[in-house]
Amino acid sequence: MTIRRARSRPFFEALEPRLLLDGAVGPIGSAGSPIVEFRGSAFYFANDGAHGAELYGVLAGNNTPSLIKDINPGPGSSYGYLLTSTSRGLLFLADSGAGTLDLWYSNGTTAGTGKIKTLNASAGASADTLRYVQMPNINGIYYFDTIDAGGHIDLYRTDTTAAGTQLLETLTTVDPAAATLAPVQVAGKQIVVGLQIAGATPADNRALLWTSHGQTGDARPVTLPVTLQSYAALTSINGTPYSYANNT
């Protein structure tokens, strides 16, 4: 028996990008949200050029994407923020055509996709930060924050039902055009909510933080040793939130 030494090759040399499927066939590209899995099927928001950004799925055993529901009928987009896979189905914020975001649910079928609760919220300047993350949860209860046209920063909890969706607290009121929500994070058993406010100049930018144990009215502002102008998304390590930030 002859043993020959294998020629070493860089790890990435063997990786070749391939188009597995055209996520939403159309001329403008399908990029819209991350892909989430529910019961062996893949779901995401995509734009096929005819329906706007809407909920699509690649069902188990089928390599062809299909439009699950045209939530904002016609060429308008429902956008689909905070697309989250839960044990019961998909949770997300979407615009059905009224120009505001409400809480929606889907079991992966057209008939099983519908509005859970009207929130009259807005993504505003937070659109990009809310599009690419999921809602965190503690013991099956999901948390998210919104901003409305009046600039109210609201913290919600939901168990995926209308009765179990509650406004926990309005944290503050700001100029909605200047506010960017940070995605809600869970650190241990605490919920951490962040907000960045754009000032007249970069030096006037401010960042605020709150913590909550998920109960009505229990959110508290975090007292910081310095005034933050901005910070990156929080990451929880062993129950402690970490981030990096710019301070004045």
Side-chain angles (χ1 to χ4, degrees), residues 211-245:
T211 59
S212 168
H213 287 91
Q215 304 302 314
T216 302
D218 80 340
R220 297 290 181 268
V222 176
T223 302
L224 301 169
V226 295
T227 300
L228 297 184
Q229 292 178 307
S230 65
Y231 65 92
L234 298 164
T235 299
S236 177
I237 302 175
N238 296 327
T240 300
Y242 290 85
S243 180
Y244 60 88

Side-chain angles (χ1 to χ4, degrees), residues 175 177-178 197-206 229:
D175 177 1
I197 304 171
T201 69
D204 297 320
N205 294 347
R206 293 293 180 266
Q229 292 178 307

Side-chain angles (χ1 to χ4, degrees), residues 131-177:
R131 182 172 290 126
Y132 301 109
V133 294
Q134 298 191 46
M135 300 178 195
N137 81 91
I138 299 176
N139 298 326
I141 303 298
Y142 292 80
Y143 297 88
F144 62 97
D145 52 359
T146 66
I147 183 170
D148 65 17
H152 303 101
I153 308 300
D154 295 326
L155 175 63
Y156 285 89
R157 58 179 283 168
T158 182
D159 64 0
T160 76
T161 69
T165 301
Q166 301 172 304
L167 170 63
L168 294 178
E169 191 166 351
T170 296
L171 301 176
T172 189
T173 302
V174 297
D175 177 1

Side-chain angles (χ1 to χ4, degrees), residues 38-39 43 45 55 68-69 71 80-95 102-119 135 142 144 158-162 165:
F38 175 63
R39 294 182 180 173
F43 298 91
F45 277 79
L55 181 63
I68 302 300
K69 191 174 183 71
I71 295 170
Y81 298 102
L82 297 173
L83 179 60
T84 303
S85 179
T86 78
S87 61
R88 298 183 58 184
L90 305 171
L91 277 177
F92 53 92
L93 302 182
D95 177 5
D102 299 312
L103 184 63
W104 284 68
Y105 165 86
S106 177
N107 65 1
T109 68
T110 300
T113 301
K115 186 189 297 185
I116 296 176
K117 192 159 189 171
T118 298
L119 304 178
M135 300 178 195
Y142 292 80
F144 62 97
T158 182
D159 64 0
T160 76
T161 69
T165 301

